[in-house]
Amino acid sequence: MKKEYALPLTAALGGAAACVLRLLQNHTGYEADTGLPIPGNFAALALAVLLAGLAAALALTARFLPSEEDPGPVLPRDFSTENAGLLTLPMGGVFLLALSGLSDLAEGLRLLPEGLVSSRHAIYGILRAGGLGFTPQGQLLMGGLTLAAAVSLFPVLAGCRRREGGPRHKAPSAITLLPVAALVVRLVLTYRVDSVNPSLTMYYVELLALVFMTLGFYRLSSFAFQAGRTRRFGLYAAASLVLCAASLADGSAYLSTLLLYAGGALTLTGFLLLRIADSLEAERDDGTIIGPAG
């Protein structure tokens, strides 16, 4: 295995372990009557230790990725491949993001008549109202933004499909910022809702997942402006994979959140693998050219 793949492999294994510990914490770490956390719960402590250890491991393995100087790699040119199989992972992630947006829209529309009855809900559309926890207005907003973000990623992925002898073109830079904007709005709304919870352990994983997903897509968008750095993007993408995997244990009852975290993790990991594959291909091409002259 190439050393460049140590980062996504570490993130995948760490994410699986984090998901198991989070599930165990949710089942054993809270009092049945009050819902308050049980002090000294093994799963809660083990999860915190695991996340801290993975942070150090990801920072170390990110050093195996190539370092660049200005101007940096270009999206999608330096993420392109002739292997259609490599595009399966990010394409699947984008489809899951689109389904997450559609799920939020469907749920918001289903609850909208009830939400319109209450003027308080109409004004404070970001507050909890049952189900996933958002009023119809808030859920429609998040669903529309998530769907728009997913749609904006399709032309980027189309540019990553490099055919034999075909040019590798540059995607419109502005559209890569749509996922960032959508996640910032979702992060703000989610924090407004979760911050009233007296138990930080119940929602810190979800907030961290949203934070690192936002940073991951922000670092991805920077490649469209030739300001990206593979190591920084790789670190945020790998951290997103770990935290999104752990967050799947929290969103098991809600389809839209399952789709969001799974889609975000797969999309960022897919783009990271595309970048690694392209950099390795560039190294082989350089060796082919330089070798005979030596």
Side-chain angles (χ1 to χ4, degrees):
M1 183 188 73
K2 296 288 186 180
K3 63 181 182 179
E4 288 83 356
Y5 289 105
L7 177 63
L9 179 60
T10 301
L13 295 176
C19 184
V20 171
L21 287 175
R22 187 63 172 173
L23 279 172
L24 185 61
Q25 180 188 2
N26 289 340
H27 283 86
T28 65
Y30 301 97
E31 296 178 358
D33 296 333
T34 64
L36 295 175
I38 300 174
N41 179 259
F42 169 77
L45 295 175
L47 178 61
V49 171
L50 175 65
L51 292 179
L54 284 173
L58 296 179
L60 289 174
T61 51
R63 303 295 297 176
F64 294 142
L65 299 179
S67 59
E68 301 100 359
E69 299 178 355
D70 289 329
V74 179
L75 179 70
R77 186 192 68 194
D78 295 310
F79 290 73
S80 60
T81 179
E82 295 178 358
N83 183 358
L86 283 176
L87 294 171
T88 302
L89 193 64
M91 184 64 72
V94 172
F95 271 114
L96 291 180
L97 288 175
L99 290 175
S100 175
L102 290 173
S103 178
D104 275 330
L105 287 174
E107 182 67 10
L109 290 173
R110 185 181 70 84
L111 297 174
L112 188 58
E114 177 184 346
L116 288 176
V117 173
S118 172
S119 60
R120 183 179 63 179
H121 286 174
I123 296 173
Y124 299 104
I126 62 172
L127 298 180
R128 290 279 185 180
L132 183 57
F134 297 94
T135 60
Q137 293 85 355
Q139 206 148 1
L140 286 172
L141 174 62
M142 290 190 301
L145 289 174
T146 302
L147 182 59
V151 171
S152 72
L153 289 170
F154 280 110
V156 178
L157 281 172
C160 293
R161 180 68 170 97
R162 174 165 31 104
R163 301 186 182 278
E164 187 71 28
R168 296 187 290 185
H169 62 275
K170 186 176 183 297
S173 301
I175 65 172
T176 61
L177 294 173
L178 282 175
V180 182
L183 285 169
V184 167
V185 172
R186 180 177 287 268
L187 176 61
V188 171
L189 300 185
T190 302
Y191 176 75
R192 287 287 301 272
V193 166
D194 288 339
S195 60
V196 300
N197 193 321
S199 175
L200 179 63
T201 60
M202 294 188 69
Y203 63 88
Y204 82 95
V205 174
E206 178 187 25
L207 288 182
L208 286 176
L210 288 173
V211 166
F212 278 91
M213 262 204 299
T214 304
L215 292 172
F217 278 104
Y218 170 72
R219 286 298 176 184
L220 179 64
S221 70
S222 66
F223 287 104
F225 298 90
Q226 291 189 273
R229 295 292 181 271
T230 301
R231 289 181 178 177
R232 294 178 187 175
F233 167 64
L235 181 59
Y236 289 128
S240 298
L241 175 57
V242 171
L243 292 165
C244 286
S247 295
L248 291 177
D250 294 336
S252 58
Y254 308 117
L255 178 61
S256 63
T257 55
L258 284 173
L259 293 171
L260 175 72
Y261 294 125
L266 290 179
T267 302
L268 289 173
T269 303
F271 275 106
L272 174 59
L273 294 177
L274 286 172
R275 177 72 197 107
I276 292 173
D278 187 88
S279 66
L280 292 175
E281 181 183 346
E283 288 180 5
R284 288 194 297 269
D285 291 343
D286 289 343
T288 301
I289 296 173
I290 296 173

